[in-house]
Amino acid sequence: MTAAGLHVARLADAAGPTVRNAVTALLRELGLTTIFGNPGSTELPMFRDLPADFRYELGLQESIVLAMADGFAQATRRAALVNLHSSAGVGHAMGNLFTAYRNQTPLVVTAGQQARSILPNDPFLYAERATELPRPFVKWACEPARAEDVPAAILRAWNVAMQAPRGPTFVSIPIDDWERPCRPIAIARTSNRVAPDPDALETAATLLDRADRIAIVAGAGVAHDDARSALLTLADRVDAGVWIAPMAARNPFPEDHARFRGFLPASREAIVAALAGHDAVLVLGAPVFVQHVEGAGPFVPEGAQLIQIGNDPDQAARLPAGLGIVGDLCLALPALTQRLRPRPASVMTSATAPSPSPDTLTDALLMSRLAALRPDRLAIVEEAPSTRGPLHDFFPIRAEDEFHTCASGGLGHGLPAAVGVALARPDVPILCLLGDGSAMYAIQGLWSAAQAGADIAFVIVNNGGYAALDQFGALFGIEVVGSKLPGIDFVKLAEAQGMPATRVADPGHLDDAIRALFAARGPRLLEIIVTCQTDAVQQEAAQTEGKS
């Protein structure tokens, strides 16, 4: 701290409470006593005399920090506090800030700023236009005009982050603000649940009652609004099958339930084909629809009524057709169910994929054996894009499980997010499923897991490259460059950061390794050397040809 800053600190101590005192009291009242950060010079005064009831969770890079907080906030269902460095630190965090925004994760992100007195001179490590840098991936951003306004800015950031649809907020705080005189502030309590329009629900009920065959498409908003049981009741009431919306980042419906119909692809024509034969499509907690490839034509089958309900007014505003209703699903679904006529239950069965060959260690075999040997209750954090198909086919997420993945499509979120989930839910075993390419975006997160003693089973699906990119390139007839990642030793990477690790490449050793993985406690890693699906098909064809 500068001599002038030290003088201000002494004056503040003599005069009474400071901004830091007021913020500390506010954070304690809000339950924000866990701080995720990577400290820099411009935010050090925030941590002077940090109270014993606060804990600082260190990540070794700001993107790690942001994703740890994201997982923690999702698991606690409350905004988490993130502390970053000025411009460079915020810049490092931007990829996972984008993911948190798309995940609709409530976060209060604070960032250091240089002293106000030297800002006109473009000082070292200052943030130029600090509130503009994190946009558009925050709901609200502020650098308070006065030091004494910092507590009120943080309180507003909390309230905005927790309002539906939830998301990150940002407050830039000059380094010399913390020592300025400031009185505690009062906290206004706000309710963040929004009830749907009753007249719109009546209209929706009329449309659904007229339909002969209803399809329900559920997205992450069902999980965000804690409406899974209400969805199941609704599906039973109208005798509907339930699909999971394209790119859903949470599990809205048990995938081992007879009403579960599968996952919709992010392709307009493929969605219409999957929903063919239905004359009403009810979309819950998801946009209509996320697309990953260009498409044309209708969004739902011709003649089908389209109804969307969710807490995000932006999703309703861009609804391409039909009826959009804005409201919390925990309130909307019971109210809609009461208005609907009950229908007799038909016999529904879920399709099952054929068992993968036990002779070749593919990601399909890995998913099948993980599902067979997993514990009764599990939280799963996944970032293995090329393995997502086998995950859907062979590893159903059950009602008692919790599932998290990345809504943005960016990499480097899953590994540190698992650390945050584990910190929030120490009573639940965590399975973190990662591709080798994804893991390398955030590999230093293993250190944070080891330091925290987090109960996480990390599984690295090592196929030697960015296999998801190869698969996508094949759609365009493109041979992808820069997609191979040979020679990475994840066992050594884990051990170097204080974590026990093993490797399996033989399918005959797979079950024993998985049993040992789930039996252990604390942070541990299992690297699985898999044969890519395309390679496996070629291998099986060669074996068949040789036998003939």
Side-chain angles (χ1 to χ4, degrees), residues 124-149:
F124 188 64
L125 289 178
Y126 90 114
E128 182 179 359
R129 296 184 290 181
T131 61
E132 297 178 36
L133 178 58
R135 293 186 186 274
F137 305 133
V138 293
K139 295 178 62 180
W140 181 74
C142 174
E143 185 173 274
R146 305 179 305 165
E148 54 266 43
D149 295 330

Side-chain angles (χ1 to χ4, degrees), residues 2 30 46 67 71 114 256 265 286 299 331 340 342 348 379-380 385 408 464 488:
T2 64
L30 295 175
M46 177 181 180
Q114 267 291 7
D256 57 352
F299 285 81
L331 302 175
L340 292 166
M348 289 189 176
I380 303 104
S408 71
I488 299 175

